[in-house]
Amino acid sequence: MEIPNDSPVNPEQVTSAQERGNPADMAQSGDFNNSNSKKKKAGAEAGTSRGNKSFSIKLAPATNLWTTQKNGAVKLRMEETCCGGVSPLTVAQMFQETVNQCGDHVAIGFKQTNQWETLTFAEYYGECRKAAKSFLKLGLERFHGVGILGFNSPEWLIANVGAVLAGGLAVGIYATNTPEACKYVAQHCEANILVVENAHQLKKILEIQNQLPHLKAIIQYKFALEVHQPNIYMWKAFMKIGEKIPDAKLDEIMDSQMANQCCTLIYTSGTTGIPKAVMLSQDNLTWTANTAGKMVDIKRAGRERVVSFLPMSHVAAQMMDIWIPMKFGAATYFADPDALKGSLVNTLKEVRPTAFLGVPRVWEKIEEKMKETSAESSTLKRKIAIWAKGIGLQAGYNNMYGNTSVPCGFALANSLVFKKVRVLLGLDNCTKYFTGAAPITKDTLEFFLSLGIPIFELYGMSESTGPHTVSQKNYFRITSCGKTMEGCKTKVDKPDELGTGEICFWGRNIFMGYLNMDEQTQEAIDKVGWLHSGDLGKFDEDDFLYITGRIKELIITAGGENIAPIPIEDSVKSKLPIISNAMLIGDKRKFLSMLLTLKCYTDDETGAPLDALAPASVVFCHKHECPATFVSEVLQKNDPLFQKAIQDGIDTVNRRATSNAQKVQKWIILEKDFSIIGGELGPTMKLRRGIVLKMYKDIIESLYVD
């Protein structure tokens, strides 16, 4: 049955796919292989077959805090605090514990022919066991990768968790990756199995499969196969392959797993070189899920709902959509693949989540849409909204500082504006609004705070299994990323006179190391075990952490993607010999743009750039039928052929980008080249990015005007 828009999702009202039966063509729809009551019963029994056994602590011998070997083990950073000292669990143990406690609660919700279907935790666990046995049947080896390439779906979760239960390494691959980027990940993790969403993703793998010596099988989980090969399976067929594998064999593998060994790889985007595989242990996942969930007040056993729409290859999405729900018995509902293109609000209205995580760009898009709608409303409605938001902002700041009193008129503002806004957004049941993965502006935070929607910032990185500092209703500050999680430690290394220094982490959330990368691991984790974030920050007097900048020259877009500017800038200069300096712009922005300068003569005494073009520049201009010999002439003429030549060079660089977020969308040529005397370059000719941002602020802003 369709979930009514005026009521929250109720597990009692939504029948499961197993109870109702599935469409005839399950392979076409990507549905699960449980179409009758006997199979449902078997799946439920599989979910609870191990009973209410007490779990023993299982740790491999280890003396070091880090390792780079896939089968290595690390010493856990146990603390005496209640959180830091909890007993380690494997993923299998955590999952079984939840099934025993709330096996009949909804675990997964997904759309099937425009109707919501669900799986309970017992059924979800049963499906993961089936996937694990099928992986084993296909030849999955211990500590070898299972790569998953596609948009979020139940199959994504089941493949991911199934890989862990089977003793493999779960490896998310960004759906926007090129075939070459997919090849690197698959080779590096020695993937035995690749799970792809559809024909588009399958095509990428078929281009590179001959270069993947460890690959044994490919599984497609949506739509019909267009290519038929002996090693390619549809999801339905895949889930049957392992039926004859004894449960006892899988149980033996699960029982042999150790909490301080690796089970998941999170690949960085390769912003400072080749991508690094962040090794996360079983304890990293289970401990962080438990601690973070408690810190942000996640309720247990069927009382929470989340919507999955951010890329599951990202650690934040995995923690929010997989591991915290698994630990606390919360339900994960899947948005449509076009969620970020406009359909997300529709899903929110139907599911009405109790907790919602959006990267800054998601919140900004919602803000932009609301402002557009407001501009089209009547004068009276706009005045009421302005009045209400003023009251809401004051109330929000009062609450932030522990003052529970509300301004006069708050009840009326809440009735006329705030409640209606939350209903329109599908957030009327939401009590926890989060943002992370990138910086968010104060303006956006205050916009939502004024509407009674306080957004709580989380801060961390893949190397800290996601969150390290958190905010929630009882402790948050605008522009702060919150307080350190219990059981963890944060220090500001080498602080300056203002107390600003590099932020360093300690805790059981700290990763094991980068797979097969000793040097990079030792750069990240110092000799006494602190993880160096590369971010600059400071604490206030109440122990709230504020991020003030980054040591490394990374750009973090509004969508949360980390991008190293230098490789892109160097590529542009390589393709366009007329370019002297190129500076990538895009921090906290919707897209990347670039400032360009042309090669020209310089003053012999001062080194100041002159207007006259250097010979290489003149040659480039003449080659493209532009007669200019001065920079000013190039800008004045604005010759179409010249403009096309520059754009062609940019396009060539863009074609090598591993994702759309790493493509340069706009560019502009400046009136003069960068120089030491001009202030753009330092004594060693190094680009002074902060100075350039200030000097050319107006020009940069013009690139982002719609």
Side-chain angles (χ1 to χ4, degrees):
M1 71 193 252
E2 228 146 331
I3 298 172
N5 288 346
D6 60 350
S7 64
V9 175
N10 186 335
E12 302 301 323
Q13 295 177 333
V14 186
T15 54
S16 72
Q18 284 81 351
E19 290 170 337
R20 296 167 40 146
N22 298 316
D25 189 0
M26 289 185 289
Q28 179 73 15
S29 66
D31 204 345
F32 308 107
N33 184 31
N34 286 324
S35 60
N36 58 53
S37 59
K38 289 183 179 179
K39 289 181 179 178
K40 182 206 170 188
K41 181 179 179 182
E45 288 175 349
T48 57
S49 63
R50 312 204 72 194
N52 293 307
K53 61 177 286 187
S54 59
F55 299 120
S56 59
I57 297 175
K58 297 186 293 187
L59 297 176
T63 57
N64 295 326
L65 293 173
W66 63 268
T67 181
T68 60
Q69 301 304 306
K70 62 183 180 180
N71 61 349
V74 295
K75 181 180 178 181
L76 297 186
R77 301 160 190 253
M78 304 287 287
E79 298 285 340
E80 293 182 359
T81 64
C82 59
C83 287
V86 298
S87 297
L89 289 176
T90 64
V91 166
Q93 289 174 329
M94 181 174 76
F95 204 168
Q96 291 161 4
E97 194 175 73
T98 300
V99 170
N100 290 336
Q101 293 171 357
C102 48
D104 60 347
H105 286 91
V106 172
I108 294 176
F110 54 99
K111 277 284 187 74
Q112 190 80 17
T113 59
N114 294 319
Q115 292 183 324
W116 285 100
E117 312 280 2
T118 64
L119 293 177
T120 66
F121 272 97
E123 294 164 348
Y124 174 27
Y125 180 58
E127 294 294 307
C128 291
R129 287 181 63 91
K130 286 182 181 179
K133 291 199 291 184
S134 291
F135 285 141
L136 293 173
K137 182 66 175 178
L138 290 173
L140 175 62
E141 300 169 71
R142 196 67 174 264
F143 299 113
H144 279 251
V146 174
I148 311 169
L149 177 63
F151 185 73
N152 310 7
S153 70
E155 295 90 347
W156 208 110
L157 261 67
I158 290 165
N160 188 85
V161 178
V164 174
L165 299 185
L169 300 177
V171 182
I173 304 175
Y174 283 100
T176 56
N177 271 13
T178 62
E180 191 68 19
C182 292
K183 182 182 77 172
Y184 174 81
V185 171
Q187 287 179 338
H188 190 251
C189 72
E190 298 183 332
N192 289 153
I193 316 287
L194 290 175
V195 181
V196 301
E197 178 182 8
N198 51 31
H200 171 67
Q201 302 295 0
L202 176 61
K203 183 179 178 182
K204 296 179 185 178
I205 303 306
L206 293 178
E207 286 184 31
I208 59 171
Q209 65 173 335
N210 292 334
Q211 302 172 64
L212 305 178
H214 299 278
L215 184 63
K216 298 179 180 181
I218 305 168
I219 300 147
Q220 183 175 313
Y221 63 82
K222 275 191 178 179
F223 310 116
L225 276 176
E226 296 179 5
V227 177
H228 298 275
Q229 290 180 187
N231 67 330
I232 302 178
Y233 304 86
M234 275 304 301
W235 184 263
K236 177 183 176 182
F238 158 70
M239 291 293 277
K240 289 183 176 180
I241 289 173
E243 287 179 346
K244 294 184 179 180
I245 297 284
D247 282 331
K249 180 177 180 180
L250 177 59
D251 291 341
E252 182 181 353
I253 291 171
M254 290 162 55
D255 286 338
S256 70
Q257 294 175 16
M258 303 295 173
N260 58 340
Q261 289 189 304
C262 186
C263 67
T264 291
L265 300 177
I266 304 290
Y267 276 84
T268 66
S269 53
T271 53
T272 56
I274 60 175
K276 299 186 288 288
V278 175
M279 299 169 60
L280 298 181
S281 71
Q282 308 247 359
D283 184 70
N284 282 151
L285 298 178
T286 60
W287 183 87
T288 304
N290 180 53
T291 305
K294 286 182 177 178
M295 288 286 289
V296 300
D297 196 30
I298 297 292
K299 303 295 190 297
R300 291 189 178 274
R303 298 169 64 187
E304 302 280 7
R305 298 183 300 278
V306 300
V307 171
S308 175
F309 69 99
L310 296 173
M312 296 288 277
S313 304
H314 197 287
V315 70
Q318 288 199 19
M319 189 52 58
M320 190 71 179
D321 301 348
I322 305 176
W323 307 119
I324 289 178
M326 181 184 289
K327 176 63 182 179
F328 287 83
T332 299
Y333 289 84
F334 290 95
D336 293 329
D338 60 352
L340 295 178
K341 298 178 182 178
S343 72
L344 176 60
V345 170
N346 297 332
T347 303
L348 295 178
K349 287 180 179 180
E350 295 180 6
V351 174
R352 300 171 73 191
T354 59
F356 178 72
L357 169 66
V359 295
R361 185 61 193 134
V362 170
W363 288 110
E364 289 169 7
K365 282 186 175 182
I366 295 173
E367 178 186 6
E368 290 166 4
K369 185 64 177 178
M370 292 175 68
K371 287 180 176 178
E372 289 175 7
T373 302
S374 176
E376 297 173 356
S377 61
S378 67
T379 302
L380 177 60
K381 286 186 177 181
R382 288 199 300 272
K383 287 183 177 180
I384 292 174
I386 292 171
W387 164 79
K389 287 173 66 179
I391 290 176
L393 188 60
Q394 183 180 344
Y397 269 101
N398 286 351
N399 184 58
M400 189 170 72
Y401 289 104
N403 181 356
T404 57
S405 64
V406 294
C408 179
F410 180 82
L412 181 59
N414 189 38
S415 176
L416 292 177
V417 179
F418 307 153
K419 284 185 177 180
K420 292 180 179 179
V421 166
R422 289 193 291 269
V423 169
L424 287 172
L425 295 178
L427 297 176
D428 50 316
N429 278 357
C430 194
T431 59
K432 293 169 278 289
Y433 314 91
F434 300 115
T435 188
I440 189 169
T441 66
K442 182 179 180 181
D443 287 347
T444 296
L445 291 171
E446 288 192 332
F447 174 83
F448 285 100
L449 187 64
S450 72
L451 294 169
I453 300 176
I455 300 175
F456 307 128
E457 288 197 66
L458 310 173
Y459 167 64
M461 51 202 299
S462 299
E463 290 85 345
S464 63
T465 322
H468 185 78
T469 67
V470 300
S471 307
Q472 55 117 297
K473 61 183 179 182
N474 295 322
Y475 46 87
F476 77 100
R477 296 287 187 270
I478 289 287
T479 71
S480 166
C481 52
K483 294 188 175 184
T484 304
M485 286 201 309
E486 291 182 10
C488 298
K489 298 175 185 177
T490 307
K491 75 172 182 178
V492 174
D493 193 39
K494 300 176 182 177
D496 60 17
E497 64 278 4
L498 299 176
T500 299
E502 184 180 13
I503 300 167
C504 299
F505 304 162
W506 179 281
R508 282 169 63 179
N509 58 335
I510 303 307
F511 79 132
M512 300 177 67
Y514 297 119
L515 179 62
N516 300 330
M517 293 183 175
D518 284 8
E519 183 179 344
Q520 291 88 336
T521 300
Q522 292 179 71
E523 288 175 359
I525 301 176
D526 65 28
K527 293 181 180 179
V528 293
W530 286 90
L531 170 64
H532 288 248
S533 69
D535 292 318
L536 296 171
K538 61 182 180 180
F539 286 101
D540 68 8
E541 62 277 8
D542 297 316
D543 291 327
F544 284 96
L545 182 65
Y546 293 80
I547 308 301
T548 59
R550 283 179 293 282
I551 295 174
K552 297 177 181 178
E553 294 177 328
L554 289 180
I555 287 172
I556 302 181
T557 67
E561 182 145 349
N562 292 355
I563 297 171
I566 293 176
I568 298 175
E569 292 162 352
D570 288 347
S571 294
V572 169
K573 288 187 286 186
S574 174
K575 292 297 176 185
L576 296 168
I578 194 173
I579 299 302
S580 175
N581 280 285
M583 177 170 157
L584 197 66
I585 308 294
D587 203 44
K588 305 179 188 177
R589 303 283 188 169
K590 306 174 189 177
F591 56 84
L592 298 182
S593 60
M594 185 169 278
L595 303 180
L596 302 173
T597 66
L598 305 183
K599 292 177 180 176
C600 59
Y601 286 102
T602 58
D603 185 284
D604 291 336
E605 293 183 8
T606 66
L610 302 176
D611 190 32
L613 290 171
S617 298
V618 173
V619 170
F620 183 92
C621 288
H622 290 176
K623 179 180 178 181
H624 297 283
E625 301 181 18
C626 176
T629 55
F630 294 91
V631 175
S632 55
E633 287 181 331
V634 172
L635 298 178
Q636 290 168 6
K637 291 178 182 298
N638 197 26
D639 187 271
L641 291 177
F642 178 87
Q643 297 287 319
K644 183 179 182 302
I646 300 296
Q647 186 61 56
D648 287 346
I650 298 290
D651 289 343
T652 300
V653 174
N654 283 343
R655 282 193 287 272
R656 297 179 179 177
T658 58
S659 70
N660 287 332
Q662 297 190 28
K663 294 180 179 179
V664 178
Q665 304 293 342
K666 291 186 178 182
W667 52 270
I668 191 168
I669 297 174
L670 302 178
E671 294 180 353
K672 63 183 181 69
D673 195 10
F674 295 159
S675 64
I676 295 174
I677 194 171
E680 300 99 336
L681 305 179
T684 60
M685 301 294 288
K686 186 176 181 180
L687 184 60
R688 302 172 69 187
R689 296 178 185 275
I691 299 296
V692 174
L693 289 173
K694 292 178 181 178
M695 290 177 62
Y696 297 94
K697 179 181 177 181
D698 292 340
I699 290 175
I700 292 169
E701 290 301 325
S702 70
L703 294 171
Y704 293 92
V705 175
D706 294 331

